[in-house]
Amino acid sequence: MNAKMKTIPQFKIRKTYEEVADYIKEQIMNGVYKPGDRLPSFREFSELLGVGQSTIREAISSLKTMGLVTIRHGEGTFVTRFNPEDVLSGFEMIHPVTEQDVMSLLEARKIIETGIVQLASERRSDEDLKRIEEALNEMEDTVAKGDLGDKADLKFHYEIARACHNPVLEFMMQSISETMGKTLKASREKMFQTKGYPEQLLAEHKDIFKAIANKNSKKAEEAMLYHLLGVEKELLD
């Protein structure tokens, strides 16, 4: 048995492959398994996690699709020699100053987040949906209190990215959101002084959530684009 697996989760008999894949992904992202490491065999994982080998096979297949692992026939399954955190290095140097910088980030958001919300609509689990809804409820509370609600807003968009089950998109969304949040806080404060704008923003996020809940990727994309175009208009007017 591979000694690296420190914490053993208590899986139920009917644990789904998505949940198993999420667990293995977390082990990889947390550094338990590093790039180049060989993962336990299907049999070892099956015994360790208390699920069938077919479930393990499906979980590993989904991780392969994400690009997290590579399967070498006759050798085993290996963590891809790629560190998702490297994706952030390009974004860490972005410090928007001019209006053109801000426009570039907004353009990137439209491209990335409309794709993210489509995937999230198709791949989200009930647990993913619960986390997105929690962030939405936090946003609703801040609107009721008259607060800025920027943290809840960022959390909402980040949880949608998590629901894609793609670590690269998750890291990219986190980086872009944090950059936008720090840069545009003053602009957000100004926008929230416009009567009815916080409520409008909340309604737009509810439309996005509804589309994700219904697994309607087309509606989700349209709702996200409408929201981001509105934000862009308010910021640049």
Side-chain angles (χ1 to χ4, degrees):
M1 190 69 68
N2 195 306
K4 286 191 176 185
M5 191 70 73
K6 301 294 184 183
T7 305
I8 308 303
Q10 296 300 309
F11 285 105
K12 298 175 183 178
I13 293 175
R14 294 185 180 274
K15 199 69 175 178
T16 64
Y17 82 88
E18 290 99 338
E19 292 171 296
V20 173
D22 282 345
Y23 171 73
I24 299 173
K25 182 183 76 172
E26 286 176 10
Q27 295 287 302
I28 293 172
M29 303 305 289
N30 291 334
V32 176
Y33 296 107
K34 296 178 175 57
D37 283 354
R38 179 185 178 278
L39 295 180
S41 67
F42 290 176
R43 179 182 59 78
E44 289 174 324
F45 261 140
S46 177
E47 293 175 358
L48 188 68
L49 304 180
V51 296
Q53 289 191 39
S54 61
T55 299
I56 300 298
R57 188 174 291 104
E58 287 184 272
I60 293 297
S61 178
S62 69
L63 294 176
K64 180 176 180 288
T65 300
M66 293 180 199
L68 277 179
V69 301
T70 301
I71 300 174
R72 302 177 195 166
H73 296 290
E75 296 182 47
T77 305
F78 295 81
V79 179
T80 303
R81 291 189 176 278
F82 162 74
N83 185 354
E85 291 182 359
D86 290 342
V87 175
L88 291 178
S89 60
F91 293 101
E92 289 171 354
M93 300 304 294
I94 298 176
H95 300 288
V97 176
T98 68
E99 183 175 295
Q100 183 58 51
D101 292 335
V102 174
M103 288 180 66
S104 294
L105 270 175
L106 290 170
E107 186 175 62
R109 281 193 71 182
K110 283 185 289 185
I111 294 170
I112 294 171
E113 290 199 65
T114 52
I116 281 175
V117 79
Q118 287 184 69
L119 278 180
S121 300
E122 296 166 1
R123 298 179 179 178
R124 64 89 178 156
S125 65
D126 290 342
E127 187 61 33
D128 292 324
L129 192 64
K130 181 180 177 182
R131 287 195 298 266
I132 298 169
E133 187 173 24
E134 286 173 355
L136 183 63
N137 290 337
E138 287 178 27
M139 290 181 66
E140 192 161 17
D141 289 341
T142 61
V143 170
K145 295 175 183 176
D147 295 336
L148 196 58
D150 52 324
K151 291 184 179 178
D153 195 323
L154 292 178
K155 181 179 178 182
F156 178 85
H157 288 269
Y158 174 65
E159 290 300 344
I160 291 175
R162 284 187 66 189
C164 290
H165 299 280
N166 182 315
V168 175
L169 289 175
E170 183 179 330
F171 276 117
M172 289 176 70
M173 188 65 242
Q174 182 179 10
S175 179
I176 289 176
S177 294
E178 289 176 357
T179 302
M180 292 290 291
K182 292 173 184 176
T183 305
L184 303 178
K185 188 170 183 180
S187 298
R188 187 181 179 90
E189 290 171 350
K190 182 181 177 181
M191 288 189 298
F192 268 53
Q193 291 174 8
T194 302
K195 186 177 180 181
Y197 185 72
E199 290 77 12
Q200 176 188 327
L201 208 60
L202 178 62
E204 290 172 6
H205 284 82
K206 285 184 176 180
D207 287 342
I208 295 169
F209 173 77
K210 183 178 179 180
I212 295 172
N214 292 332
K215 293 192 172 184
N216 190 327
S217 59
K218 188 174 185 300
K219 286 284 187 183
E221 179 192 10
E222 291 172 351
M224 180 64 79
L225 183 59
Y226 179 82
H227 164 60
L228 293 176
L229 285 171
V231 171
E232 183 178 71
K233 184 176 183 298
E234 288 290 331
L235 285 172
L236 300 179
D237 273 356

